[in-house]
Amino acid sequence: MADIKNLEEKVAKAEAKVEKCKGTIERHKKQLDKKIQIVINAVGVDLTGKTSEEIDELREPYIQTEDSWKFYDVKSKLDDIKGATKKLADAEQILANWNEKLHIEINREKFIQEQAPQVIKDFLEQWKQMAYEWNVKRYNDYQDLKEKLRKEAMDTIVEFIESHPEDYERYLGEDGKIDSYYADDYHLSNIGGRSLKAHLEEKELDYRSIQSRKSDFAGSTVMYMDTIYKEEERLAWLDKTLEQEKKRKMIDLIHRISKVTGEITDASLLKINVKGNLDGFVTGEKGKAKVETIGAGGWNIQVFHFRTLVHPVK
């Protein structure tokens, strides 16, 4: 329901924007009426309903007089109305888009609640919790990996420089060790030289190799989590992302089962087995289907994932 609430807030803001645009147009129209009346009072010319081109023609005899600006004020206000009308159309389109998304989400929630057997909801909630825990652990392990790679790279640079004093004398102290001025990450990372670069590449500790190793370890979800500084926001994002994926998986599975069975009427023979997989039979208006889930992962290397097979039963 969180998605529906969020979309309802988006719709409310879009509706407020539409009303604001309408109010702006009405204000401009009232100002236009006043400016038209000023022209009528000044020279007896009524510009009501006239286009900009027609106003220019009627203004022609008064170009050399101060009344010319009264005509110009009417034209300017027409431009204001035109611009405000364009903004209203844009705001109404944005509102329509948010309303459509809200309608889709409401129908999706309704479909899930009406069509999804509880056992499927339980199975996918179990998947979500396992995925959540795995990603949190992976994120923490990723922080350790980043520090490990950073230290390895910096230690390797120091070791290489100290073992090649003839090439890196400027970075060394009198004792032949790295000068304290250059011993921080910033200065070490900016020390050049082809031989050092080649050495780091050989050990896969150059910038590109480290980024690749980090990406391979973390995956896209954890990499994005790493961009969110506050833990509360980071975990909220993860929960929302997995909830959306859970719904997507649920709708996909229900559609695949319903394609075989028609509307589901009995899922009492569908169970979560001791291995945590979803197996059994589902009966519907059109027939019966066998559901078989093959799960994998859930340990340190790979997040738990599954593949569900749906077969017609004759």
Side-chain angles (χ1 to χ4, degrees):
M1 298 298 290
D3 286 341
I4 290 178
K5 183 178 179 181
N6 181 55
L7 287 170
E8 286 175 339
E9 290 174 354
K10 298 286 188 183
V11 167
K13 288 181 180 179
E15 287 175 338
K17 179 68 174 179
V18 167
E19 291 306 310
K20 183 179 179 180
C21 289
K22 288 180 178 179
T24 298
I25 291 173
E26 287 304 311
R27 186 174 70 254
H28 285 320
K29 285 182 176 179
K30 288 179 181 179
Q31 292 171 347
L32 174 65
D33 290 340
K34 291 180 180 180
K35 292 183 183 300
I36 288 175
Q37 190 60 49
I38 289 173
V39 174
I40 292 174
N41 293 339
V43 296
V45 177
D46 188 356
L47 300 179
T48 303
K50 303 299 183 183
T51 65
S52 289
E53 291 75 14
E54 290 171 334
I55 292 173
D56 281 337
E57 291 180 5
L58 293 169
R59 178 189 177 197
E60 193 66 32
Y62 307 96
I63 287 289
Q64 302 301 322
T65 73
E66 60 183 34
D67 290 325
S68 175
W69 286 103
K70 298 181 176 66
F71 286 81
Y72 180 81
D73 286 344
V74 172
K75 279 191 60 176
S76 178
K77 190 50 60 178
L78 285 176
D79 289 338
D80 289 342
I81 293 174
K82 182 178 179 181
T85 302
K86 173 64 168 59
K87 288 182 179 179
L88 172 61
D90 293 341
E92 287 176 335
Q93 183 59 55
I94 291 172
L95 173 60
N97 291 341
W98 284 123
N99 269 320
E100 182 181 4
K101 290 179 181 179
L102 175 60
H103 179 71
I104 291 171
E105 188 63 27
I106 289 174
N107 284 339
R108 188 164 73 156
E109 287 287 347
K110 183 180 179 183
F111 176 82
I112 290 173
Q113 295 304 319
E114 293 180 355
Q115 288 288 312
Q118 188 60 44
V119 66
I120 293 180
K121 295 178 184 179
D122 292 343
F123 171 72
L124 287 170
E125 180 60 28
Q126 175 181 287
W127 165 84
K128 177 188 171 183
Q129 292 305 317
M130 290 177 67
Y132 181 91
E133 292 170 7
W134 188 92
N135 278 291
V136 170
K137 183 180 185 305
R138 198 66 165 179
Y139 171 83
N140 293 329
D141 291 342
Y142 178 61
Q143 304 311 306
D144 295 338
L145 175 67
K146 287 198 300 181
E147 176 57 24
K148 175 177 175 289
L149 292 175
R150 183 202 67 78
K151 189 174 186 308
E152 284 183 10
M154 297 305 105
D155 289 349
T156 299
I157 293 172
V158 170
E159 180 184 355
F160 187 84
I161 289 173
E162 291 178 350
S163 62
H164 295 76
E166 67 280 3
D167 296 324
Y168 296 96
E169 181 180 0
R170 60 173 293 195
Y171 301 107
L172 301 174
E174 293 181 0
D175 59 356
K177 301 298 182 182
I178 192 79
D179 189 288
S180 59
Y181 177 80
Y182 298 105
D184 60 87
D185 287 7
Y186 174 79
H187 286 95
L188 289 174
S189 298
N190 284 282
I191 294 176
R194 291 183 180 180
S195 55
L196 174 58
K197 182 174 182 293
H199 184 66
L200 290 173
E201 289 175 350
E202 181 183 354
K203 292 185 173 294
E204 295 186 338
L205 290 171
D206 60 296
Y207 177 80
R208 183 174 295 178
S209 296
I210 286 177
Q211 291 303 111
S212 178
R213 291 169 68 180
K214 285 160 58 176
S215 179
D216 289 344
F217 178 89
S220 59
T221 299
V222 171
M223 288 292 283
Y224 189 82
M225 288 173 66
D226 196 47
T227 67
I228 305 175
Y229 178 74
K230 293 183 179 179
E231 181 180 29
E232 183 179 355
E233 294 178 4
R234 182 166 60 246
L235 296 180
W237 176 85
L238 176 62
D239 184 78
K240 180 180 178 181
T241 299
L242 293 175
E243 181 66 22
Q244 291 173 338
E245 179 62 13
K246 183 185 79 173
K247 289 180 181 179
R248 188 195 67 76
K249 289 178 181 293
M250 191 176 301
I251 290 174
D252 176 67
L253 180 54
I254 296 299
H255 274 309
R256 289 170 58 209
I257 294 173
S258 299
K259 191 174 181 180
V260 175
T261 66
E263 184 175 341
I264 296 171
T265 56
D266 182 13
S268 60
L269 296 179
L270 189 61
K271 308 289 184 182
I272 300 174
N273 64 27
V274 292
K275 294 183 178 180
N277 293 328
L278 185 69
D279 294 321
F281 297 90
V282 178
T283 302
E285 293 180 337
K286 295 191 329 186
K288 191 172 184 179
K290 179 182 179 181
V291 177
E292 180 183 6
T293 302
I294 303 169
W299 52 89
N300 188 47
I301 303 300
Q302 190 177 43
V303 66
F304 176 73
H305 62 284
F306 62 89
R307 183 165 61 98
T308 303
L309 306 175
V310 180
H311 301 291
V313 176
K314 297 181 180 180

